[in-house]
Amino acid sequence: MPKGRDHILGRIRAALADRPPGGLPEDVAGAAVFAPVADPLARFQAECQANRTELHLVTAANEADCLTAVLAREKEGGDGTIYVQDAPALRALAARLPAATQTNLQFAPAQPAGIASLTLCEALVARTGSVLVSSRCGGRAATILPPTHIVYAHASQLHAEIDAALLAARSQSPTASLYSLITGPSRTSDIEKMLVLGAHGPKRLTVLLRTD
Amino acid sequence: MVTRPRIALFIPCFVDQLLPQVAQAMVRVLERVGCQVEFPAAQTCCGQPAFSTGHWAEARPLALRFAEIFAGPEARQSYDAVVCPSGSCTTMVRNFFPALAHGDAALAQAIAPLHGRVFEFSEYLVRQLNVRDVGASFPYRVTFHDGCHALRELGLYDEPRELLRAVRGLELVEMEETTECCGFGGAFSMQMSDISAALGQRKAANVERAGVDFVTSCDPSCLMQIGGTLARQPGRVRAIHLAEILAAGLDAGLDAGPQDSGAERSAQPSARTTGDAGGARAGLRGPRDAPPAKRAAKPGARAEKRP
Amino acid sequence: MSSTLHSFEQAATRAAHDRPQQETVRTSLGTYNRALNAGRERFASWSEARHRARAVKADAVAHLGEYLEQFEARITSRGGHVFWAETAADARDYILDLARRRGVRSVIKSKSMVSEEVHLGAALEGAGLEAVESDLGEFIVQLRNEPPYHIVTPAMHLRRAQIAALFQQKLGTPAGADSAEDLTMAARHYMRARFASAGMGITGANFLIADAGMVAITENEGNARLTASLPPVHVVLTGIEKILPRLTDLALFWPLLSTAGTGQAITCYSSLIGGPRQPGEADGPEEFHVVLLDNGRTRVLADQERRDTLQCIRCGACLNVCPVFHTIGGHAYGTTYSGPIGAVLTPLLRGEKEFGHLSFASSLCGACTEICPVEIDLHHHLIENRRDSALQHVRPLPERIGMRAFRWLMSDAARYARLAQLARHLLRFKNAWVPEGSPLDLLRPWTASRDLPEPPRESFREWWQRTRQERGGHA
């Protein structure tokens, strides 16, 4: 087994005997490449609209009502369950939902997908209107399998750029085995370039963004 | 004190043999704008056919030969610049000679003085002489095809257009996909002729759709491909080199006298009136599509339809 | 003539006359082009972005060994496995052994060109495993039993009606369900069961991040996310050249790849995976394997001139702008990587003798080089490949003799002038007596579809000599 490793690394070393002097540019996505984001929240809103993320700006006072309204609209979903990431903030939020709402803190991909999942995120990216989740946000499947994915985030998690968001996620959840920058609902245009949402992942991506 | 720039003409071999009217037109325009023009008779071919098919060993001696003729000690004394009516052949000298000379010290040394001395025709007029209006008249709708080498290797886009816009009576119409390859590609046009022809037909269709009388370019090879394809189609658009348009309607008598039978084939109009489209009949489409008399009448007939 | 050349010529000729196919491809690429142009506007400077991307990838390639070791160490520290595969067979054997050891019966795959390169699908089937492609386009071509047409959009050559008929036949979808939405949902439904039952998920990788020790995967559908989430074993099959030095490089490379690939600002799912399920995580695979494939790449690395081809991020942009690809499509090449990058890379990876002709299937227009987001000098590499073909004497004898003759002819101006004059006479004679484009016409490859200018009686040099030198030089 290590034979292949030694051979390949040996060939690489031999091939690069004449290695040209190079250098790694700093700040590869800096102002010379992307114009700086002036107003991160406004940009995030605009990008979400463009990539079809449903964004709700909420406060402590109206977040439960907003979530209830979002969930009331969902029709699909086998057993009608909403999977909720087991986190204090989400437990508290779920407790304020109407009594009839079935919630489950253990996401089980083997069961029929429920209505939706409700998770936290690691960070938000204004430039692209994206949500950065990790495997610590309820697991890997919770953010990709259900027909609707609802993200509960705070405005303080908003970063202008992708690199800042990635570094924030790595320092918050250094041992996570997966990070995923999600930009809008799942989509494909493999058939005659026609856009269809919900190819394999969620058909709807909703962000509840606490601004208070 | 203004001195007349002394120009060595670099005439691609296929222009020399098949399209002399293009070179003649270039001579006329260069002289019109005050250049002193010479034709180094020892020149043959820059070697691009061998280079681009990979036969570099055959291309190297031709590059060396070219360098000696156009940039040897004597040539450097005699000429200020080398000007060529082909973006592609200019590219060969400017961009591909250095590749050929990689690892060949003698060739590298020989081609070094070519640096900064070889220019494509429209590039020379606009960038070197700062000339846009050469005094030409050409009252037709014209579209410009960007040859790939002129566009991507030499970075010429505005230069030919600026020259065309200054031509009296000329209406410049941009076609769709103007920067897409016409499919000529040198030996490619023969070796992969089905692909080449399909590309030529697409380009010709774009030309036709532009509703023009002429398609022009800085590259006579592209124009052979486009004009040759158009000739097989029912439309009446003709291919004509930029130099021929710029020579149209220039005051006769500056250079070629009436004894100059070459002018029959050149873009030089037979009459001084700018309305005469004599220049049109020397188009690259080739003379076989109609007898001369009929051809002479053809552009006029088109002109009548114009408001 | 090699068999690969022969089949290329046949397929290319057939495709060059297939106008409906070209229209389908052109329509698809028209949409792409509009998105690309809008996408580039999102950059303050697209050219600066390309320039920096080239610098980063050039550094990655120049320090490839160090970065790969760094990558491996991080993956291993999370309990993942890294296998170094020298050849396609090594990669296949490793994955088949793993499947056997884990008792895998069915495999779910997400798009990976390296898996096409090593013919993994056939190997899995040969071992009695069910292997389903989960990317919609890839699934469609799998159902048709054909290779992907394009490295990013595998089913771009097919019309909706063809796909609807295919799904009716193979998946039993109802006759009326033929909208893009219907067909996508049918595939989604079909695939969900496969995801749940698969014993192994196989993905490719877009980047290997050295400092983070993670695999970056770019996709829109979510199938790669599912492939990496649900099955108990996740295998990443990728080339050694996919290295990026730093996690933060993704701030450039994710938008760059998306823009060049589809015109999107960023794709829907840009994911990083660094190992199997970690302690405290709700789910994820028990085993995580990264197979790093050489398969000729180190040979390309040793080639100073064309080393930059290892910078390729497989965005497909060079295919999308290539007039030859527009005309002959992706299948005619008969190779995993088609279009300009395929025409440059395949002869380097698999030999000039069998694949050198691909470098000649280009008008050298340079549109590929102009668009390449990592500034690979593609069309000049095609000429270098041609040079190597000539040096290895794999070019046809008539061409070799012809070029010798060309050099002889052009080495003496008087000789050239005399013989060219003769040739003009012969050409006029031919034009008078041989019907143009007829089998007797030696210029038939040209004249079959195009006129050639009628040779003039007087060449330019003859005119010059007569008019200028007779009059005692210039005025």
Side-chain angles (χ1 to χ4, degrees):
Chain A
M1 285 284 166
K3 196 183 59 160
R5 181 181 193 277
D6 293 346
H7 287 177
I8 293 174
L9 285 171
R11 279 200 295 270
I12 291 173
R13 263 190 297 277
L16 292 172
D18 67 318
R19 177 157 65 196
L24 209 43
E26 289 302 317
D27 192 23
V28 287
V33 172
F34 293 111
V37 172
D39 179 345
L41 183 59
R43 177 68 180 256
F44 185 71
Q45 286 178 289
E47 293 296 329
C48 282
Q49 186 165 21
N51 68 40
R52 307 197 189 200
T53 300
E54 189 180 295
L55 174 64
H56 299 279
L57 302 183
V58 297
T59 61
N62 68 3
E63 62 183 19
D65 291 343
C66 179
L67 180 57
T68 305
V70 165
L71 288 172
R73 211 183 36 199
E74 304 298 335
K75 302 254 184 320
E76 262 185 74
D79 60 0
T81 311
I82 298 150
Y83 292 97
V84 179
Q85 180 188 344
D86 192 1
L90 296 182
R91 246 183 275 150
L93 180 59
R96 291 161 64 198
L97 289 171
T101 316
Q102 297 176 45
T103 58
N104 187 338
L105 295 173
Q106 289 297 312
F107 189 82
Q111 293 168 17
I115 295 175
S117 63
L118 173 64
T119 75
L120 299 174
C121 68
E122 298 282 354
L124 303 172
V125 178
R127 171 169 303 285
T128 50
S130 311
V131 176
L132 180 59
V133 299
S134 77
S135 44
R136 304 288 172 178
C137 303
R140 292 191 187 192
T143 55
I144 191 69
L145 199 59
T148 296
H149 177 206
I150 303 164
V151 178
Y152 181 69
H154 193 272
S156 63
Q157 291 180 288
L158 183 60
H159 297 268
E161 304 295 343
I162 293 169
D163 43 2
L166 285 172
L167 293 174
R170 289 261 290 167
S171 73
Q172 276 155 218
S173 304
T175 62
S177 62
L178 174 144
Y179 304 92
S180 188
L181 187 69
I182 303 175
T183 309
S186 157
R187 66 197 59 199
T188 186
S189 47
D190 275 349
I191 299 175
E192 288 188 352
K193 284 268 171 194
M194 287 184 279
L195 180 69
V196 178
L197 298 184
H200 284 285
K203 287 180 194 179
R204 202 188 319 255
L205 176 66
T206 302
V207 175
L208 303 188
L209 182 60
R210 276 278 298 266
T211 53
D212 56 336
Chain B
M1 191 188 89
V2 180
T3 56
R4 299 174 71 193
R6 297 163 305 165
I7 306 294
L9 298 170
F10 162 23
I11 304 303
C13 49
F14 72 100
V15 171
D16 177 32
Q17 294 299 321
L18 288 176
L19 307 165
Q21 72 275 16
V22 170
Q24 287 161 351
M26 185 172 87
V27 168
R28 217 178 130 58
V29 175
L30 287 172
E31 289 184 341
R32 169 67 175 230
V33 299
C35 297
Q36 191 176 309
V37 177
E38 269 305 327
F39 178 73
Q43 66 181 285
T44 56
C45 173
C46 60
Q48 184 166 205
F51 172 79
S52 62
T53 51
H55 298 270
W56 290 19
E58 319 301 339
R60 280 195 189 94
L62 299 178
L64 186 63
R65 212 178 162 273
F66 184 98
E68 283 163 356
I69 294 164
F70 285 98
E74 205 178 309
R76 272 177 282 168
Q77 289 289 313
S78 314
Y79 314 123
D80 302 310
V82 179
V83 179
C84 175
S86 158
S88 183
C89 300
T90 306
T91 295
M92 177 65 195
V93 174
R94 191 185 297 171
N95 299 9
F96 297 157
F97 276 10
L100 275 177
H102 192 74
D104 181 339
L107 183 55
Q109 200 183 352
I111 65 167
L114 286 169
H115 183 78
R117 293 173 62 88
V118 184
F119 303 95
E120 184 277 326
F121 170 61
S122 71
E123 177 186 37
Y124 184 72
L125 289 178
V126 174
R127 287 197 197 163
Q128 296 299 309
L129 299 184
N130 201 23
V131 165
R132 272 124 190 117
D133 185 357
V134 301
S137 292
F138 196 71
Y140 296 99
R141 285 166 63 87
V142 174
T143 193
F144 183 80
H145 161 72
D146 289 281
C148 298
H149 280 154
L151 177 71
R152 299 196 181 88
E153 298 282 356
L154 305 180
L156 303 176
Y157 181 86
D158 292 328
E159 289 78 358
R161 287 174 172 79
E162 286 175 22
L163 290 163
L164 286 169
R165 284 198 196 96
V167 174
R168 279 150 200 79
L170 186 147
E171 185 189 346
L172 181 61
V173 181
E174 293 289 352
M175 67 177 137
E176 291 289 304
E177 301 174 353
T178 173
T179 59
E180 184 155 326
C181 181
C182 68
F184 174 71
F188 174 78
S189 66
M190 296 288 279
Q191 292 180 336
M192 304 267 174
S193 57
D194 290 303
I195 306 174
S196 170
L199 293 176
Q201 281 153 16
R202 182 166 183 93
K203 177 58 74 174
N206 277 323
V207 169
E208 295 272 9
R209 265 197 298 276
V212 292
D213 305 305
F214 292 91
V215 54
T216 190
S217 177
C218 295
D219 262 294
S221 49
C222 301
L223 290 169
M224 284 208 305
Q225 164 89 344
I226 301 170
T229 306
L230 285 168
R232 298 284 173 91
Q233 294 181 0
R236 306 209 291 182
V237 189
R238 289 154 168 273
I240 186 170
H241 190 273
L242 176 68
E244 296 177 87
I245 291 179
L246 297 187
L250 294 187
D251 201 17
L254 247 183
D255 55 342
Q259 81 282 10
D260 178 6
S261 68
E264 284 166 21
R265 294 192 51 81
S266 86
Q268 179 190 345
S270 51
R272 295 183 185 207
T273 53
T274 53
D276 183 344
R281 74 187 138 96
L284 281 149
R285 182 163 176 169
R288 266 180 297 147
D289 55 347
K294 194 174 147 204
R295 275 187 291 119
K298 212 165 159 186
R302 285 188 76 87
E304 279 168 20
K305 284 190 290 185
R306 300 173 64 79
Chain C
M1 187 190 287
S2 76
S3 62
T4 43
L5 169 59
H6 184 64
S7 54
F8 172 77
E9 284 185 337
Q10 282 193 324
T13 299
R14 206 166 42 240
H17 294 282
D18 187 347
R19 292 302 156 88
Q21 176 78 92
Q22 286 165 23
E23 276 315 304
T24 305
V25 171
R26 289 268 189 180
T27 305
S28 168
L29 291 174
T31 311
Y32 164 82
N33 261 315
R34 284 187 293 278
L36 173 70
N37 289 335
R40 282 190 288 195
E41 294 295 312
R42 300 175 67 102
F43 290 77
S45 166
W46 171 252
S47 66
E48 183 61 25
R50 294 173 67 220
H51 200 58
R52 292 186 183 197
R54 185 202 56 78
V56 170
K57 280 300 281 189
D59 177 86
V61 169
H63 301 88
L64 190 59
E66 293 93 315
Y67 286 137
L68 284 169
E69 288 182 281
Q70 197 183 356
F71 169 81
E72 178 190 38
R74 303 273 149 96
I75 295 283
T76 311
S77 74
R78 293 187 200 97
H81 304 273
V82 175
F83 177 73
W84 303 66
E86 291 188 69
T87 63
D90 287 354
R92 289 193 301 262
D93 291 348
Y94 180 80
I95 293 169
L96 290 178
D97 283 347
L98 179 61
R100 229 169 275 134
R101 180 166 65 70
R102 293 282 314 196
V104 171
R105 294 229 298 280
S106 77
V107 173
I108 191 96
K109 291 178 68 203
S110 95
K111 217 175 129 31
S112 153
M113 288 312 293
V114 175
S115 108
E116 299 289 335
E117 178 184 336
V118 305
H119 303 291
L120 184 64
L124 293 170
E125 274 177 36
L129 295 164
E130 185 200 37
V132 179
E133 293 287 351
S134 58
D135 172 86
L136 177 59
E138 203 74 41
F139 177 58
I140 292 166
V141 295
Q142 186 188 26
L143 288 180
R144 285 171 59 91
N145 204 18
E146 63 184 24
Y149 193 82
H150 182 286
I151 61 177
V152 174
T153 46
M156 74 182 302
H157 60 305
L158 298 174
R159 265 176 260 257
R160 190 162 49 88
Q162 291 170 278
I163 298 165
L166 179 74
F167 276 22
Q168 248 185 73
Q169 187 202 336
K170 303 265 181 174
L171 307 183
T173 52
D178 61 354
S179 70
E181 169 96 24
D182 292 336
L183 297 169
T184 304
M185 289 310 129
R188 176 185 167 112
H189 181 73
Y190 176 87
M191 219 71 79
R192 276 296 165 109
R194 268 72 190 174
F195 275 116
S197 64
M200 178 187 276
I202 301 177
T203 67
N206 295 94
F207 306 107
L208 306 172
I209 313 301
D211 70 352
M214 300 191 101
V215 171
I217 302 177
T218 292
E219 51 151 352
N220 274 314
E221 297 181 3
N223 58 309
R225 284 281 314 273
L226 290 170
T227 306
S229 298
L230 303 183
V233 178
H234 176 204
V235 178
V236 176
L237 173 58
T238 188
I240 53 173
E241 81 284 12
K242 296 284 174 72
I243 281 284
L244 275 184
R246 303 166 299 199
L247 185 67
T248 48
D249 292 328
L250 291 170
L252 171 61
F253 279 85
W254 272 341
L256 189 81
L257 173 60
S258 311
T259 302
T262 63
Q264 287 172 280
I266 189 165
T267 49
C268 207
Y269 300 101
S270 302
S271 307
L272 286 155
I273 301 165
R277 176 183 187 175
Q278 298 294 293
E281 291 189 338
D283 56 5
E286 298 154 21
E287 287 191 38
F288 177 67
H289 299 257
V290 180
V291 179
L292 297 175
L293 180 70
D294 180 345
N295 205 29
R297 286 164 174 77
T298 47
R299 205 163 51 238
V300 180
L301 188 67
D303 182 335
Q304 285 182 52
E305 219 171 21
R306 285 158 285 188
R307 182 179 287 163
D308 67 349
T309 51
L310 294 179
Q311 293 167 17
C312 175
I313 58 174
R314 304 284 190 267
C315 67
C318 62
L319 284 64
N320 298 345
V321 300
C322 175
V324 173
F325 182 88
H326 295 168
T327 306
I328 67 172
H331 285 154
Y333 291 83
T335 55
T336 305
Y337 306 103
S338 64
I341 185 65
V344 172
L345 209 47
T346 312
L348 295 178
L349 291 171
R350 299 170 71 184
E352 297 285 343
K353 197 168 161 49
E354 284 295 301
F355 295 97
H357 58 271
L358 294 179
S359 306
F360 287 80
S362 167
S363 64
L364 304 175
C365 77
C368 49
T369 306
E370 189 178 40
I371 192 67
C372 178
V374 290
E375 297 184 333
I376 300 172
D377 200 2
L378 286 159
H379 72 297
H380 292 153
H381 291 331
L382 290 172
I383 305 179
E384 290 152 10
N385 283 3
R386 293 176 182 195
R387 177 203 59 203
D388 290 358
S389 281
L391 284 173
Q392 293 171 27
H393 304 297
V394 297
R395 296 301 298 160
L397 191 62
E399 180 185 298
R400 280 148 60 191
I401 295 172
M403 284 303 159
R404 288 275 175 90
F406 166 75
R407 169 184 164 179
W408 174 80
L409 176 70
M410 295 301 183
S411 295
D412 183 297
R415 179 190 298 153
Y416 152 75
R418 263 198 320 278
L419 290 173
Q421 188 184 45
L422 177 65
R424 290 204 314 274
H425 289 315
L426 289 173
L427 189 54
R428 266 204 304 274
F429 177 81
K430 180 203 80 100
N431 287 343
W433 295 98
V434 180
E436 201 164 49
S438 77
L440 284 175
D441 185 352
L442 286 175
L443 295 174
R444 191 177 139 74
W446 179 278
T447 54
S449 57
R450 293 155 285 196
D451 275 9
L452 195 65
E454 178 75 7
R457 298 212 169 269
E458 193 175 48
S459 69
F460 175 76
R461 67 181 57 224
E462 289 159 1
W463 172 81
W464 182 273
Q465 194 172 21
R466 185 171 57 75
T467 61
R468 300 299 173 111
Q469 282 165 7
E470 278 175 12
R471 284 185 291 150
H474 51 77

